[in-house]
């Protein structure tokens, strides 16, 4: 369901002009907003959104400064997502399945966050 929300939210932006990176970044932002709105998670809740926000921050900053999104910049965004996914190991869960589990039993990074980092890296490699 969360991926459906992410992709549906993103598609509204991307459909308009799929040829520009800035539209893809707006699509990512819209997708994140949809997941947050309907899933109830926010940045820092130890969910799949944490690495997405980290990647989005890098991409938005580049666009804000008038820079084109190159493969190298996308690599930086993916690295940020990978680092954040790893850091979810030490975050307290405020949303998602992990929020129902005793904190002492959570010793690994959030699986949803890890999945996001994996598919972002796969997209980077495919470019």
């Amino acid at each position: 369901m969360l991926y459906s929300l992410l992709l549906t939210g993103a598609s509204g932006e991307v459909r308009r002009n799929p040829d520009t990176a800035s539209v893809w970044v707006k699509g990512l932002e819209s997708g994140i907003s949809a997941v947050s709105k309907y899933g109830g998670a926010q940045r820092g809740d130890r969910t799949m959104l944490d690495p997405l926000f980290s990647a989005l921050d890098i991409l938005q900053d580049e666009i804000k400064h008038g820079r084109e999104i190159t493969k190298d910049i996308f690599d930086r965004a993916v690295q940020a997502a990978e680092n954040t996914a790893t850091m979810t190991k030490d975050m307290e869960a405020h949303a998602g399945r992990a929020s129902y589990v005793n904190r002492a039993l959570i010793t690994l990074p959030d699986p949803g966050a890890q999945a996001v980092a994996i598919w972002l890296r796969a997209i980077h490699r495919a470019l």
Side-chain angles (χ1 to χ4, degrees):
M1 181 176 122
L2 296 177
Y3 279 108
S4 176
L5 290 168
L6 179 70
L7 295 172
T8 301
S11 70
E13 294 290 336
V14 174
R15 245 187 308 217
R16 294 184 197 131
N17 185 6
D19 298 331
T20 63
S22 63
V23 170
W24 283 88
V25 173
K26 285 182 192 251
L28 179 59
E29 181 179 17
S30 294
I32 289 170
S33 292
V35 172
S36 182
K37 177 180 178 181
Y38 296 107
Q42 302 293 320
R43 182 190 297 256
D45 280 348
R46 193 187 191 274
T47 69
M48 67 181 281
L49 290 181
D50 294 307
L52 288 171
F53 273 119
S54 293
L56 181 64
D57 289 345
I58 298 288
L59 298 171
Q60 285 179 327
D61 187 61
E62 294 297 326
I63 288 171
K64 183 174 89 174
H65 288 94
R67 292 186 280 270
E68 201 170 309
I69 303 298
T70 63
K71 188 171 181 181
D72 287 339
I73 289 170
F74 187 62
D75 182 58
R76 285 187 32 235
V78 173
Q79 286 175 20
E82 290 168 336
N83 291 339
T84 301
T86 299
M87 290 188 310
T88 61
K89 176 183 174 204
D90 299 318
M91 290 179 172
E92 186 174 336
H94 297 286
R97 285 171 277 164
S99 66
Y100 304 109
V101 177
N102 182 329
R103 175 69 177 118
L105 300 174
I106 299 174
T107 59
L108 299 172
D110 180 74
Q114 290 288 89
V116 165
I118 289 167
W119 61 255
L120 281 174
R121 179 56 65 195
I123 291 170
H124 176 264
R125 287 184 180 141
L127 294 176

